[in-house]
Amino acid sequence: MGMQFNETQMTEFKRLVARYPEGKQKSALLPALHLAQESFDGWLSTETMDYIANLLSIEPIEVYEVASFYSMYNLKPVGKYVFEVCQTGPCMISGSDNIIDYIKKTLDIKPGETTKDGVFTLKLVECLGACGYAPMMQVGKIYKEHLTKEKVDAIIAEYRQLAASKN
Amino acid sequence: MGVKLLLDKANVPGIRTYDVYRREGGYTAVEKALKEMNPETIVEEVKKSGLRGRGGAGFPAGMKWSFIAKPEGVPRHLVCNADESEPGTFKDRYLMEFLPHLLLEGLIIASFALGSNDTYIYIRGEYAWIPDILEEAINEAKANGWLGKNILGTGFDCNIHVQRGAGAYICGEETALIESLEGRRGNPRIKPPFPAIQGLWMRPTVVNNVETLAAVVPIIKMGGDEYAKIGVGKSTGTKLISACGNINKPGVYEIDMTVSVEDFIYSDEYCGGIKGGKQLKACIPGGSSVPILPANLLLKTAKGETRYMNYESLSDGGFATGSMMGSGGFIVLDEDQCIVKNTLTLARFYRHESCGQCSPCREGTGWMEKILMKIEQGKGEMSDIDLLWDIQRKIEGNTICPLGDAASWPVAAAIRHFRDEFEWHVNNPELSQTSNFGLQHYADPIHVPA
Ligand SMILES: Cc1cc2nc3c(=O)[nH]c(=O)nc-3n(C[C@H](O)[C@H](O)[C@H](O)COP(=O)(O)O)c2cc1C
Ligand code: SF4
Ligand code: FES
């Protein structure tokens, strides 16, 4: 597949690599994978990983082993918007169970699944450093905090609308 | 009102921008350090300040700096640990989000003291909007001559780079962080060699927490001796506490370490008491890895003395009756919380985050989660409680990095102090599915044997 960074993405890629000394370009792997995931539909296919390996002059296996270690990289296709809801202790004692149940019911999916229309994926994650603003979830780069059922409804509506406007 | 050294300007409108930060006295510490001091005298001041690492282990910062190897012709690096993934901890996020220039100031001074021309901030990947804030601040600092080549005409060059992680708690451990910065899986390294000798790209490296580096700014401004006068004993200066759980006012607070735990929880200046007028049942005072304490041992030590929010007092009694300051992630549980469920979520966290290199940690965390799940679901047996105790003991101390200990301690402390509640779950398989054990005796006064 002819998956390639466009010009803007390539400029950003080069900026990332330039932060490390000569010969240490492998250090740019994590940031490069973030960039690739954002650029290519929110997940990392084998083709994407091979492309990154080639750009950084490293072996494909060096990319696979990193991509599979870190929880933020998706190795399978995901919905347009991924709801990553925190379920760790501090969020749990602040009511995250109720929020998770509510999202499951409202979107009619289980954790790890994507809605039929391909808009939402639900993922349960561990502490995101927002324990004082619990319950919370992350959607893309954004944290949605102090969640209530009403707030969840509003967030779902917000992203449904966004998805519709992009179609 | 306690002394504030880090957050004193946090509420000034626009303090995130260079202009306002500078107008409020920003970058005077860099000026002083680079023009009036040299690397040795800076390290000396930090030593005198008694500043202890704020990332969790509490190792004296000045001492760590003095260990850095200086082989001829080999570059050295400072790495700022902004991985902040310990459940209950969200203070570094606050510093970076609202006071990015304070962190940069600390980073420039520390880079000068350590001789780091390329300094890296490794930030957890989920804090995805913060690198933009930091890079904006870096550009402003550069434009105003505080970063880049020949800073203030001293001949010192320094660049600061921000790198995002990608979701792995273990990358907060300093050698795993270094591996990750090199573009690999976050597998902790066997020590020695320590990073101060062979760290990033096998070069001498110092890894410090965000808050530790920010604290260097007031230390340079006021001098190490003055800084050391704040606080008590070996708990010098101020500490950021991120408070969460069942309290009225969750958030990030700066304390000088003379406030009592009771005041911290109940006074309006800090947590504002337990939410909904409920009663305090338990607290994990220093991030999820440190031992949980029941209310009665939290507010007073086993000797019946007032417990304070500082390193010594929080650990008074050792693991038998005390806890730790840790990262300052203060998690409060009210009377309605189930200790078994809470322990289960933490066990799941550590199982998820184990890097898998050592079998006691990889296998043990999985078993602890399974057994806790069984007890939580009312399918446990009495022998499971002893089995849990056994497993945690076999992990502790038998692993490459301290994540193994961090996974063991919460389970050990929960059983040590809340065994009744575990037994109640086993004895009441049905009732435990619809109701909670509640407060019981956990807030009752402790009787110390004479
Ligand atoms: C499993 C594990 C996770 C850690 N996570 C963090 C972290 O998120 N942030 C941090 O500053 N230190 C963390 N540490 C401590 C670091 O290894 C290291 O001690 C610290 O960054 C040193 O900085 P300091 O001396 O300024 O505290 C962690 C340690 C372990 C074992
Ligand atoms: S203790 Fe756990 S996290 Fe640490 S190196 Fe061993 S397996 Fe990895
Ligand atoms: S426990 Fe959910 S953000 Fe920390």
Side-chain angles (χ1 to χ4, degrees), chain A residues 19-21 26-27 30 34 65 69-73 87 89 93 97 126-132 138 143 145, chain B residues 88 90 93 120 124 126-127 162-163 165-167 180-186 201 246 250 337 341 345 348:
Chain A
R19 301 192 299 204
Y20 309 97
K26 183 176 174 180
S27 281
L30 270 72
H34 279 304
E65 63 177 14
F69 183 84
Y70 296 92
S71 66
M72 289 181 78
Y73 300 127
Q87 57 171 347
I93 63 179
D97 283 358
E126 302 296 345
C127 182
L128 294 181
C131 329
Q138 175 166 29
Y143 275 19
E145 301 171 329
Chain B
F90 46 100
R93 164 186 170 184
Y120 294 87
R124 67 176 299 173
E126 293 90 345
Y127 287 171
V162 186
Q163 160 148 346
S180 184
L181 248 180
E182 293 185 2
R184 283 195 287 271
R185 300 165 76 104
W201 304 308
N246 311 125
Q337 299 307 325
K341 176 87 189 274
T345 76
R348 184 190 58 222

Side-chain angles (χ1 to χ4, degrees), chain B residues 170 187-188 353-359 361-362 399-405:
Chain B
I170 191 58
N187 287 345
E353 303 300 337
S354 165
C355 84
Q357 282 193 109
C358 331
S359 22
C361 171
R362 181 186 61 239
T399 55
I400 294 177
C401 91
L403 186 138
D405 301 345

Side-chain angles (χ1 to χ4, degrees), chain A residues 129-145:
Chain A
C131 329
Y133 324 110
M136 66 80 64
M137 68 173 164
Q138 175 166 29
V139 191
K141 278 193 167 190
I142 298 167
Y143 275 19
K144 302 278 187 185
E145 301 171 329

Side-chain angles (χ1 to χ4, degrees), chain A residues 41-55:
Chain A
D41 295 326
W43 71 291
L44 299 171
S45 64
T46 311
E47 289 81 6
T48 303
M49 292 190 276
D50 292 349
Y51 173 63
I52 297 295
N54 188 28
L55 284 182

Side-chain angles (χ1 to χ4, degrees), chain B residues 24 77 423 433:
Chain B
E24 293 289 329
H77 294 286
E423 290 177 353
Q433 300 309 296

